[in-house]
Amino acid sequence: MEFPRFLLGDNTDYPDAIFVVHTQFPRFIINLQDDEVEWLEDFDKNDEEELQNEAENLIKEASEFYDREVERYQE
């Protein structure tokens, strides 16, 4: 099964949270309410440098995805 690159997540136990799931490597879940990121991958020392370089772009893309989705719901 193929998943979209980003998914919105919702949970009534966290009513103020806005979760975005990144489904491709490196997989992560970000809560846009507080920008807390939970990585779903195990990284070794070699991966950490690449991850630091890519993380900022991925988090920005996750925020842009959320903004686009909200705009589409409002239409």
Side-chain angles (χ1 to χ4, degrees):
M1 175 185 306
E2 189 172 323
F3 294 107
R5 185 169 179 215
F6 291 104
L7 299 170
L8 289 178
D10 189 26
N11 188 303
T12 57
D13 292 333
Y14 302 90
D16 296 327
I18 302 167
F19 296 110
V20 176
V21 181
H22 182 254
T23 63
Q24 298 173 356
F25 185 84
R27 296 174 303 146
F28 65 86
I29 300 171
I30 183 171
N31 181 348
L32 295 178
Q33 176 193 20
D34 57 13
D35 291 336
E36 185 176 345
V37 176
E38 180 70 29
W39 298 100
L40 304 175
E41 309 286 356
D42 292 326
F43 300 105
D44 62 23
K45 289 289 183 190
N46 295 332
D47 292 333
E48 286 182 21
E49 184 176 327
E50 180 182 340
L51 177 63
Q52 288 175 347
N53 294 334
E54 192 171 347
E56 187 176 326
N57 282 339
L58 290 172
I59 291 168
K60 180 181 175 211
E61 288 177 29
S63 295
E64 290 170 353
F65 164 77
Y66 173 77
D67 291 342
R68 185 193 78 188
E69 291 298 297
V70 168
E71 188 174 299
R72 287 179 177 176
Y73 282 125
Q74 293 173 349
E75 292 176 355

